[in-house]
Amino acid sequence: MVNNNSPLVLALRRFTRHKLAMTSGMVLLVMILLALCAPLFEIWLGVGANDVNLLNRLQGPSLAHPLGTDELGRDQFLRLLYGGRVSLFVGFTAAVFSVVIGTVIGLTAGYFGGRVDAFLMRMTDSFIALPGLPLLIVIAAIDLSKLGLPDAWVQSESVSLYRIVFIVALLGWTGEARLVRGAALSLREREFVMAAKGAGASHRHIMFHHILPNLLSPIIVAVTLSIGGVILVESALSFLGLGIQPPVASWGNMLTNAQQLIWEAPMQAVYPGLMIFITVIAFNFLGDGLQDAFDPKAEY
Amino acid sequence: MRQYLLARSAQSLVVILLMSFVIYGLIGLMPGDPIDILASEDPTMTPEDVAALRALYDLDLPVYERYLNWLGRAFTGELGYSRLFGQPVLDVLGPALVSTLVLMGTAFIVAIAIAIPVGVLAASKPRSALDYGVNLFAFAGISLPSFWLALMLMTLLCVTLGWLPAGGTAPAGSGVLEQLRYMLLPVATIVIVNVGSYSRFVRASMLEVLRKDYIRTARAKGAGQWRVVWRHGLRNGMIPVVTILALEFGSLFSGALIVETIFSWPGMGKLIFDSIMGNDFNLALIALLLATVLTLLGNLLADICYAKLDPRIVIGEGR
Amino acid sequence: MPTDNVLVSTRGLCKRFKTRVANGKGWQKKTVNAVADVSLDIVAGETLALVGESGCGKTTLGRMLSLFYQPSEGDLAIKGEDVAGLKPKQVKPLRRHVQMIFQDPVSSLNPRHTVEAILTEPLKFFSSDNAQQRREKAVELLEAVGLPERSLRKYPHEFSGGQRQRIVIARALILHPAFVVADEPVSALDVSVQSQILNLLKDLREQFNLTYLFISHDLAVVHHLADRVAVMYLGRIVEVGERDSLFQNPRHPYTQALLSSVPGVVPNKGKIGKILHGDPPSPISPPHGCPFHPRCPLAQDRCRQSMPVLEAADSNGAHQVACHFQEQAAGPAVIKEVVQL
């Protein structure tokens, strides 16, 4: 039997009253569904997302191509859907990875306190004080084969996907670490932590069974909010030619092409950017709504 | 306070040293090889020449030895030549820093000039239409991809309407007005992205202050709404604002990378990007390090500002 | 002094904390003697109450006896086994014999855990029971503290303060410990609920053969539950004795001041004068000599120079007092001042 009064359930019930966040959630749900169904649309439209048709360059919207075609005659609508798959995948995985890193570091620092805390937080502060985007660009530009990775893997299509998840997570955990550390620092003073110690629990048990569950709501909010940020970084890097590599479609690299066609076909630049904007703002509204739901006293 | 400053500076130095090694290592992992590039540009070079050059540039040594050699040279001021520009690295960096400062400084001032009155107004009337508007705009700002916004502005104002130049800087010798025309779009992009968050921040710190007792007292004494807001609230509400802005200032030097690249604005961001993409190892290394140093400096300044402005903060207190 | 069947015994127990104090220019490292030179014996089956003002070190002493703090100095034996110098790993198996009831029933229950998870947690570490057996034991304990079985699936926020404290008590008893430290177990509760919980603690003492260390600042509550009472001041025990002996014939001026503030407990309260002002001195820089002398109406030069030790105040030595002038202090007429707790 399930108890319907768990703190999480109560918070979700409050969340459903938050209109903007609910709408954002719906929008994202639709977007995820569309992205997942991209192959079905390929069948339905009878063309592949990467099918080049030079006779059909830069067409306007039509029944065959709902949003027209790009400079190589590829279907814009399908490429947007596939771009969405990439952005959402990178957003989710990189956000989850960076939250995992941030949580482990923040939890360790906050729970143990003292020198462990001082060292870890100095490290975090130093990370925060680094120029993020330039560093991301350097890391995105490095030649993986020089690291001794197998050539076959380096040249595979998906490597740019994993690489971007890795580097975004590498630099993105600092906010979460601070957040988790602050919360853990106050939670460890609560008497239930002492009670757990009295019950014979180990540090690890206390950290993961007592402190962590109480951090669930800020962590969920942090993940949601950071997905938006990750998608922005991913599309910026792809736009600069350092993220997802063509011919794999991403909203960012679609805009790179659009920039070169800005005199010829200005509308090309509208859709991918709009998709980024809508997705990111929806995640931000969603995170904001979740925050309100978890902490009803806090003002926005 | 002095002890704190020393400790913080020492920490920053350690970070800079560490980062210089990391960046040095990363640059070494860039695609291409400086000697190969030289060789490909000069068909008369023999494999023996290549080997000799490798030895000359220490490229046959392990990375940490190369790094230490480089560090030694860097301390004597020998930072090398930029391959792309054919000039000493420092000569290239100077003008880039200046144009970044011009661009970012202008954008920063414009954004603040809008954010402060808007934020204060929103705070003085919580839950008004303006208040919600500020909030919405802030969300839009942090959610807008700046490169897309730049493209859209360019499409609209340069391509469709033809009012403004699509990038670059004014030709040498042109008047102030002409120079402003080139700056307008990059500045507008940066302002639009940031002004919402800034306003929201001003609003938040104003609200905090307006809740304080002495504001209530001033109100109870019969001071008008405006007097209360501007006289009492604003001054105290500025404390956190200044801090955050100082913090932002640190990232200003490299934060405009995308906007500079799109509008071909010859600043630090574009320089970093071009040097990385153009295999200009010496330039990329120094430009990145400079960006790191400036960002760290900005953070340090922010902390000091915070301490100076808020007498309640005792710096050096243990956590 | 009781000698046979001692469950918990301390000799010269001390706890020091390091802290930093502002001195105008910066921060200075100082040591706080939270508990200083405490020697106590707690006999199996009795309830020893520990009373004193907040900050006197009673919670610190309680946490040492319940194995949460490691003593800085001195001996601590539980069931005759020396535990003062044990490493955390060696302490762990002893925890099942010593449990704690906390003051704040909101903070001492994890809001994300159901009552079942809260109650069965100790069993996970100290028994080989399976989930079903653990649940049965939890239900048993719920019954013992007067809560229905359906509480198992609920979360702490669904209970009132008194009910939560019942859960806290059930958790403390599920391992059937010999010794329970109750740190202000009712002070966070409404007055109407306090007596219910006190009676529950009394009943459970019989049912589970418990020995309590009962920490409180409320002398009325102490009188209700305690067999013996120890009075603490600035980290030291200044008077200890059988409840009735101590309440009716307090020998230490501090104990007298404490008792005179409680209506209906002290027989001679009509003669009490004004309220003693001032806070107790800081344990960071305790006064030289007797710690109570700056507030004591009987203080003389000797009190400023030498520290009194606990000495027998009655024929069999069950009542002990640390005061140079306990003979003069005896009797109702001397005390004119009152400490407000």
Side-chain angles (χ1 to χ4, degrees):
Chain A
M1 201 153 95
V2 179
N3 183 330
N4 287 327
N5 286 318
S6 90
L8 215 57
V9 173
L10 290 182
L12 286 176
R13 219 172 284 158
R14 274 196 298 275
F15 173 75
T16 53
R17 285 180 225 130
H18 201 294
K19 274 186 215 140
L20 199 53
M22 277 300 279
T23 317
S24 301
M26 300 290 181
V27 168
L28 288 173
L29 216 61
V30 170
M31 213 168 268
I32 291 168
L33 278 178
L34 281 176
L36 286 178
C37 297
L40 295 180
F41 283 100
E42 274 183 324
I43 297 168
W44 182 49
L45 290 173
V47 284
N50 290 333
D51 290 356
V52 174
N53 183 352
L54 291 175
L55 297 174
N56 239 341
R57 293 179 75 241
L58 301 174
Q59 297 291 306
S62 64
L63 264 179
H65 301 290
L67 294 175
T69 60
D70 68 0
E71 79 283 2
L72 294 176
R74 297 175 294 194
D75 185 82
Q76 275 276 57
F77 176 68
L78 286 175
R79 289 188 68 74
L80 278 180
L81 293 187
Y82 273 96
R85 277 169 93 109
V86 166
S87 284
L88 290 169
F89 172 79
V90 172
F92 275 118
T93 43
V96 167
F97 274 127
S98 60
V99 163
V100 168
I101 301 173
T103 303
V104 169
I105 288 178
L107 196 57
T108 313
Y111 178 71
F112 290 106
R115 280 189 193 163
V116 178
D117 179 37
F119 172 75
L120 288 176
M121 283 303 113
R122 288 284 141 77
M123 191 178 86
T124 309
D125 287 348
S126 304
F127 254 87
I128 289 175
L130 295 177
L133 195 57
L135 278 179
L136 282 177
I137 287 174
V138 182
I139 305 176
I142 63 175
D143 183 352
L144 291 176
S145 55
K146 284 196 183 179
L147 279 174
L149 294 169
D151 273 355
W153 191 74
V154 168
Q155 260 129 43
S156 70
E157 235 176 37
S158 48
V159 72
S160 63
L161 206 66
Y162 298 131
R163 181 210 290 252
I164 204 148
V165 168
F166 174 76
I167 59 181
V168 172
L170 196 67
L171 288 174
W173 55 269
T174 50
E176 282 84 27
R178 278 189 160 183
L179 180 107
V180 168
R181 179 244 180 201
L185 211 54
S186 75
L187 278 170
R188 73 168 184 154
E189 300 299 328
R190 304 272 289 273
E191 281 175 343
F192 65 75
V193 171
M194 199 184 228
K197 218 170 140 193
S202 62
H203 287 309
R204 231 186 57 177
H205 181 89
I206 294 176
M207 280 169 78
F208 290 103
H209 285 87
H210 285 275
I211 306 229
L212 197 58
N214 282 286
L215 294 172
L216 208 58
S217 36
I219 287 176
I220 290 174
V221 172
V223 172
T224 315
L225 289 176
S226 71
I227 293 176
V230 171
I231 291 178
L232 276 184
V233 171
E234 175 270 314
S235 55
L237 286 180
S238 299
F239 173 75
L240 293 172
L242 291 162
I244 308 300
Q245 298 300 321
V248 175
S250 83
W251 292 335
N253 70 27
M254 288 172 78
L255 278 170
T256 317
N257 298 340
Q259 189 191 12
Q260 283 143 16
L261 297 167
I262 190 168
W263 301 96
E264 228 179 310
M267 284 310 283
Q268 289 272 306
V270 173
Y271 301 118
L274 206 59
M275 293 302 284
I276 301 172
F277 179 59
I278 291 173
T279 312
V280 174
I281 204 169
F283 273 115
N284 284 332
F285 281 139
L286 188 69
D288 192 54
L290 286 172
Q291 195 156 29
D292 285 350
F294 288 136
D295 190 3
K297 280 159 289 180
E299 217 191 340
Y300 67 79
Chain B
M1 182 76 191
R2 250 186 61 198
Q3 215 181 351
Y4 169 79
L5 272 184
L6 279 176
R8 277 297 308 266
S9 308
Q11 188 196 339
S12 300
L13 267 181
V14 171
V15 174
I16 289 170
L17 219 59
L18 270 177
M19 279 315 291
S20 70
F21 179 68
V22 171
I23 293 172
Y24 190 90
L26 286 175
I27 297 279
L29 293 173
M30 290 291 158
D33 176 308
I35 305 297
D36 287 348
I37 293 167
L38 271 182
S40 66
E41 284 168 0
D42 184 355
T44 63
M45 273 183 27
T46 61
E48 288 75 34
D49 292 338
V50 171
L53 269 175
R54 272 187 196 287
L56 186 66
Y57 284 102
D58 295 342
L59 284 171
D60 45 356
L61 297 177
V63 64
Y64 63 93
E65 277 183 50
R66 266 186 287 153
Y67 168 72
L68 287 178
N69 288 341
W70 170 82
L71 198 66
R73 286 198 303 276
F75 271 117
T76 61
E78 204 187 312
L79 298 175
Y81 264 68
S82 154
R83 202 182 66 82
L84 282 181
F85 294 84
Q87 282 175 340
V89 164
L90 282 185
D91 293 1
V92 182
L93 282 176
L97 254 181
V98 172
S99 40
T100 287
L101 267 182
V102 169
L103 175 68
M104 296 307 283
T106 315
F108 192 65
I109 292 167
V110 173
I112 289 296
I114 300 171
I116 288 181
V118 170
V120 169
L121 275 177
S124 65
K125 282 185 189 143
R127 312 221 165 261
S128 65
L130 179 75
D131 193 19
Y132 283 112
V134 164
N135 204 30
L136 220 59
F137 209 84
F139 269 99
I142 57 170
S143 310
L144 256 177
S146 59
F147 52 98
W148 181 61
L149 177 66
L151 278 183
M152 288 295 102
L153 289 176
M154 215 192 257
T155 312
L156 184 70
L157 295 171
C158 316
V159 178
T160 314
L161 299 171
W163 289 349
L164 290 168
T169 45
S174 47
V176 178
L177 216 64
E178 183 61 19
Q179 285 182 9
L180 280 180
R181 265 167 48 85
Y182 278 87
M183 257 174 80
L184 194 65
L185 278 185
V187 167
T189 309
I190 300 167
V191 168
I192 292 173
V193 169
N194 287 328
V195 73
S197 323
Y198 288 2
S199 313
R200 204 166 102 134
F201 195 77
V202 173
R203 171 195 176 276
S205 48
M206 270 304 285
L207 271 183
E208 184 105 331
V209 171
L210 289 176
R211 269 198 283 266
K212 297 256 165 67
D213 282 346
Y214 63 92
I215 297 289
R216 296 221 184 116
T217 314
R219 277 209 177 124
K221 282 194 318 200
Q225 171 80 359
W226 284 110
R227 210 185 135 77
V228 169
V229 167
W230 290 105
R231 264 296 194 52
H232 296 268
L234 191 56
R235 247 184 53 204
N236 293 284
M238 281 302 99
I239 292 172
V241 173
V242 169
T243 319
I244 280 284
L245 297 190
L247 208 61
E248 286 273 283
F249 209 78
S251 63
L252 288 188
F253 298 98
S254 53
L257 193 148
I258 290 171
V259 173
E260 285 183 357
T261 307
I262 293 177
F263 290 107
S264 312
W265 186 267
M268 283 292 288
K270 184 167 157 47
L271 196 71
I272 290 175
F273 182 70
D274 289 348
S275 61
I276 292 170
M277 300 313 276
N279 291 314
D280 193 342
F281 299 104
N282 285 336
L283 185 60
L285 187 55
I286 300 298
L288 273 168
L289 263 181
L290 191 66
T292 310
V293 171
L294 290 172
T295 317
L296 282 168
L297 210 64
N299 277 272
L300 194 59
L301 280 177
D303 286 357
I304 295 169
C305 279
Y306 198 32
K308 286 256 172 213
L309 281 169
D310 190 342
R312 287 166 308 174
I313 303 274
V314 182
I315 267 190
E317 184 183 352
R319 291 168 209 257
Chain C
M1 177 175 284
T3 46
D4 53 333
N5 211 5
V6 170
L7 185 66
V8 179
S9 162
T10 79
R11 289 292 174 272
L13 205 61
C14 297
K15 182 68 189 177
R16 289 184 283 270
F17 292 109
K18 288 197 171 65
T19 184
R20 297 206 281 181
V21 185
N23 64 354
K25 276 185 190 168
W27 295 82
Q28 211 176 359
K29 281 189 180 153
K30 290 269 191 178
T31 308
V32 184
N33 291 300
V35 171
D37 194 18
V38 167
S39 300
L40 269 180
D41 285 310
I42 302 172
V43 177
E46 77 164 338
T47 296
L48 175 70
L50 194 59
V51 300
E53 293 162 282
S54 62
C56 73
K58 54 190 197 293
T59 292
T60 306
L61 180 57
R63 287 184 177 180
M64 275 194 285
L65 298 194
S66 50
L67 306 173
F68 286 114
Y69 288 170
Q70 194 171 20
S72 308
E73 209 180 289
D75 295 325
L76 169 60
I78 290 172
K79 285 184 160 177
E81 201 177 332
D82 180 45
V83 297
L86 293 185
K87 295 189 179 76
K89 247 195 187 147
Q90 297 167 303
V91 168
K92 216 172 188 179
L94 292 167
R95 289 196 185 280
R96 66 170 309 157
H97 306 301
V98 183
Q99 286 290 315
M100 185 144 178
I101 296 168
F102 297 90
Q103 171 176 5
D104 179 4
V106 176
S107 153
S108 54
L109 297 175
N110 192 332
R112 298 272 176 202
H113 288 186
T114 59
V115 170
E116 178 172 353
I118 289 168
L119 291 184
T120 57
E121 183 170 44
L123 295 173
K124 283 183 194 157
F125 300 112
F126 286 113
S127 76
S128 49
D129 294 346
N130 62 29
Q132 180 58 33
Q133 289 164 318
R134 289 200 296 261
R135 189 176 306 121
E136 279 163 15
K137 284 189 180 170
V139 173
E140 246 171 69
L141 257 300
L142 277 178
E143 248 165 55
V145 299
L147 288 173
E149 186 184 341
R150 62 170 187 278
S151 312
L152 277 186
R153 284 182 300 271
K154 291 192 180 175
Y155 286 87
H157 70 90
E158 298 176 71
F159 294 92
S160 70
Q163 290 170 324
R164 283 172 189 227
Q165 198 60 308
R166 287 171 193 266
I167 298 168
V168 172
I169 293 170
R171 172 179 58 191
L173 299 187
I174 200 157
L175 290 172
H176 291 267
F179 178 51
V180 171
V181 175
D183 187 358
E184 303 266 13
V186 296
S187 64
L189 304 176
D190 291 344
V191 181
S192 55
V193 184
Q194 286 190 359
S195 59
Q196 292 173 18
I197 297 294
L198 287 175
N199 287 330
L200 176 68
L201 286 171
K202 237 179 175 175
D203 295 345
L204 292 169
R205 181 173 57 185
E206 316 307 326
Q207 199 180 333
F208 287 81
N209 288 323
L210 297 171
T211 307
Y212 284 136
L213 176 73
F214 187 86
I215 301 172
S216 180
H217 65 269
D218 188 337
L219 289 165
V221 164
V222 166
H223 191 264
H224 187 72
L225 204 69
D227 300 314
R228 284 199 305 142
V229 179
V231 180
M232 240 180 139
Y233 188 79
L234 272 186
R236 294 168 188 277
I237 304 281
V238 295
E239 182 162 8
V240 55
E242 299 288 336
R243 176 190 67 188
D244 294 343
S245 165
L246 189 131
F247 270 70
Q248 276 155 27
N249 191 13
R251 306 297 284 270
H252 196 285
Y254 179 63
T255 312
Q256 293 169 346
L258 283 184
L259 287 171
S260 61
S261 64
V262 186
V265 180
V266 177
N268 54 356
K269 64 170 179 168
K271 296 172 184 166
I272 300 304
K274 61 176 182 182
I275 284 173
L276 181 84
H277 33 251
D279 294 321
S282 158
I284 294 169
S285 45
H288 198 255
C290 173
F292 189 56
H293 83 253
R295 297 166 88 192
C296 181
L298 299 172
Q300 297 186 13
D301 280 350
R302 189 178 163 201
C303 302
R304 288 174 199 106
Q305 280 149 13
S306 75
M307 172 102 65
V309 292
L310 277 175
E311 281 168 1
D314 58 2
S315 50
N316 65 3
H319 193 159
Q320 295 180 303
V321 183
C323 178
H324 292 309
F325 301 102
Q326 56 159 297
E327 291 309 318
Q328 287 96 314
V334 181
I335 290 303
K336 295 228 162 59
E337 297 176 291
V338 173
V339 176
Q340 201 78 47
L341 285 181

